[in-house]
Coordinates of all heavy atoms in Angstrom, one line a residue:
K29 N -7.2 -91.8 7.8 CA -8.0 -90.7 7.1 C -8.8 -89.9 8.0 O -8.9 -88.6 7.9 CB -8.9 -91.4 6.1 CG -9.6 -90.5 5.2 CD -10.5 -91.3 4.1 CE -11.2 -90.3 3.2 NZ -12.0 -91.0 2.2
S50 N -7.9 -60.5 15.3 CA -7.0 -59.5 14.8 C -7.5 -58.9 13.5 O -7.9 -59.6 12.6 CB -5.6 -60.1 14.6 OG -4.7 -59.1 14.2
Q55 N -12.0 -46.3 8.5 CA -13.3 -45.7 8.1 C -13.1 -45.0 6.8 O -12.2 -44.3 6.6 CB -13.7 -44.7 9.2 CG -15.1 -44.2 9.0 CD -15.6 -43.4 10.2 OE1 -15.0 -43.4 11.2 NE2 -16.8 -42.8 10.1
G73 N -28.7 -30.0 33.4 CA -27.8 -29.4 34.3 C -28.4 -28.3 35.3 O -29.6 -27.9 35.0
F77 N -26.0 -19.6 41.2 CA -25.4 -18.3 41.2 C -24.7 -17.9 42.6 O -25.3 -18.2 43.6 CB -26.4 -17.2 40.8 CG -26.8 -17.2 39.4 CD1 -27.7 -18.1 38.9 CD2 -26.2 -16.3 38.5 CE1 -28.1 -18.1 37.6 CE2 -26.5 -16.4 37.1 CZ -27.5 -17.3 36.7
Q90 N -37.2 -13.1 37.9 CA -37.4 -13.5 36.5 C -37.6 -15.0 36.3 O -38.5 -15.4 35.5 CB -36.3 -13.0 35.7 CG -36.2 -11.5 35.6 CD -35.0 -11.0 34.7 OE1 -34.1 -11.8 34.4 NE2 -35.0 -9.8 34.4
D94 N -33.2 -18.8 42.3 CA -31.8 -18.3 42.2 C -30.9 -19.3 41.5 O -29.7 -19.2 41.5 CB -31.3 -17.8 43.5 CG -31.1 -18.9 44.5 OD1 -31.6 -20.0 44.2 OD2 -30.5 -18.7 45.6
K95 N -31.6 -20.4 41.0 CA -30.8 -21.5 40.3 C -31.5 -21.7 38.9 O -32.6 -21.3 38.7 CB -30.9 -22.8 41.1 CG -30.2 -22.7 42.4 CD -30.2 -24.1 43.1 CE -29.5 -24.0 44.4 NZ -29.5 -25.4 45.1
N102 N -32.1 -32.7 21.5 CA -31.9 -32.3 20.0 C -31.7 -33.6 19.2 O -31.1 -34.6 19.7 CB -30.7 -31.4 19.8 CG -30.9 -30.1 20.5 OD1 -31.5 -29.2 20.0 ND2 -30.3 -29.9 21.7
S105 N -30.6 -35.0 11.7 CA -30.4 -36.0 10.7 C -29.5 -35.4 9.6 O -29.7 -34.2 9.1 CB -31.7 -36.4 10.0 OG -31.5 -37.2 8.9
S111 N -20.2 -38.7 -4.8 CA -20.2 -38.9 -6.2 C -18.9 -39.6 -6.7 O -18.2 -40.1 -5.9 CB -20.5 -37.6 -6.9 OG -19.5 -36.6 -6.5
D125 N -31.1 -31.8 8.5 CA -32.5 -31.7 8.9 C -32.7 -31.9 10.4 O -32.2 -32.9 10.9 CB -33.3 -32.8 8.1 CG -34.8 -32.6 8.4 OD1 -35.3 -31.5 8.8 OD2 -35.5 -33.6 8.3
K141 N -34.1 -20.9 17.5 CA -33.7 -20.3 16.2 C -32.8 -21.2 15.3 O -32.7 -20.9 14.2 CB -33.1 -19.0 16.4 CG -33.9 -17.9 17.1 CD -33.2 -16.6 17.3 CE -34.1 -15.6 17.9 NZ -33.4 -14.3 18.1
N162 N -12.5 -32.3 3.6 CA -12.0 -30.9 3.1 C -13.3 -30.2 2.7 O -13.9 -30.5 1.7 CB -11.0 -31.0 2.0 CG -10.6 -29.7 1.5 OD1 -10.4 -28.8 2.3 ND2 -10.5 -29.5 0.2
D181 N -15.0 -24.1 10.6 CA -13.9 -24.4 11.6 C -14.3 -25.6 12.5 O -13.5 -26.5 12.8 CB -13.6 -23.2 12.4 CG -12.9 -22.2 11.6 OD1 -12.3 -22.5 10.6 OD2 -12.8 -21.0 12.1
V190 N -13.2 -41.6 12.7 CA -12.3 -42.2 13.6 C -11.0 -42.5 12.9 O -11.0 -43.2 11.9 CB -12.9 -43.4 14.3 CG1 -11.8 -44.0 15.3 CG2 -14.1 -43.1 15.1
T194 N -2.7 -47.7 12.1 CA -2.4 -48.3 10.8 C -2.0 -49.8 10.9 O -1.7 -50.5 9.9 CB -1.2 -47.6 10.1 OG1 -0.1 -47.5 11.0 CG2 -1.7 -46.1 9.8
E196 N -2.9 -53.8 12.7 CA -4.0 -54.6 13.1 C -4.3 -54.5 14.6 O -3.3 -54.4 15.4 CB -3.8 -56.0 12.7 CG -3.9 -56.3 11.2 CD -3.9 -57.8 10.8 OE1 -3.6 -58.6 11.7 OE2 -4.2 -58.1 9.7
D201 N -6.7 -54.4 22.7 CA -5.9 -53.3 22.2 C -6.6 -51.9 22.4 O -7.8 -51.9 22.3 CB -5.5 -53.4 20.7 CG -4.3 -54.4 20.6 OD1 -3.8 -54.8 21.6 OD2 -4.0 -54.8 19.4
T202 N -5.8 -50.9 22.6 CA -6.4 -49.5 22.8 C -5.7 -48.5 21.9 O -4.6 -48.7 21.4 CB -6.3 -49.0 24.2 OG1 -4.9 -48.9 24.6 CG2 -6.9 -50.0 25.2
K222 N -11.4 -29.4 23.9 CA -10.5 -30.5 23.7 C -11.3 -31.8 24.1 O -11.7 -31.9 25.3 CB -9.2 -30.5 24.4 CG -8.2 -31.6 24.0 CD -6.9 -31.6 24.8 CE -6.1 -30.4 24.3 NZ -4.7 -30.4 25.0
L229 N -10.8 -52.2 22.1 CA -11.5 -53.2 21.3 C -11.9 -54.4 22.2 O -11.0 -55.0 22.8 CB -10.6 -53.8 20.2 CG -11.2 -54.8 19.2 CD1 -12.4 -54.3 18.5 CD2 -10.1 -55.3 18.2
E233 N -17.3 -59.6 16.2 CA -18.3 -60.6 15.9 C -19.2 -60.1 14.8 O -19.6 -59.0 14.7 CB -19.2 -60.7 17.2 CG -20.2 -61.8 17.2 CD -21.0 -61.8 18.6 OE1 -21.7 -60.9 18.9 OE2 -20.8 -62.8 19.3
K235 N -18.8 -59.4 11.7 CA -18.2 -58.3 10.9 C -18.4 -57.0 11.6 O -18.5 -55.9 11.0 CB -18.8 -58.3 9.5 CG -18.5 -59.5 8.7 CD -18.9 -59.4 7.3 CE -18.5 -60.7 6.5 NZ -18.9 -60.6 5.1
G260 N -15.1 -32.5 31.9 CA -16.0 -33.6 31.9 C -15.3 -34.9 31.7 O -14.3 -35.0 31.1
N273 N -17.1 -50.5 6.3 CA -16.1 -49.5 6.7 C -16.7 -48.2 7.2 O -16.3 -47.1 6.9 CB -15.1 -49.2 5.6 CG -14.2 -50.4 5.3 OD1 -14.0 -51.3 6.2 ND2 -13.6 -50.4 4.1
M275 N -18.7 -46.4 10.8 CA -19.0 -46.4 12.3 C -20.5 -46.5 12.4 O -21.3 -45.6 12.1 CB -18.5 -45.2 13.0 CG -18.6 -45.2 14.5 SD -17.8 -46.6 15.3 CE -16.1 -46.0 15.2
V288 N -18.8 -20.2 35.2 CA -18.9 -19.0 34.3 C -18.8 -17.8 35.2 O -19.7 -17.6 36.1 CB -20.2 -19.0 33.5 CG1 -20.2 -17.8 32.6 CG2 -20.3 -20.3 32.7
S300 N -23.4 -30.4 38.5 CA -24.2 -31.6 38.3 C -24.8 -31.6 36.9 O -26.0 -31.6 36.8 CB -25.3 -31.7 39.4 OG -26.1 -30.6 39.3

Side-chain angles (χ1 to χ4, degrees):
K29 187 176 180 181
S50 180
Q55 186 167 355
F77 286 82
Q90 291 180 345
D94 61 352
K95 296 181 180 180
N102 296 279
S105 173
S111 52
D125 183 23
K141 297 181 179 180
N162 179 41
D181 287 342
V190 177
T194 55
E196 289 190 346
D201 281 352
T202 64
K222 184 183 288 185
L229 182 59
E233 186 178 70
K235 296 186 179 181
N273 291 336
M275 187 61 77
V288 181
S300 58

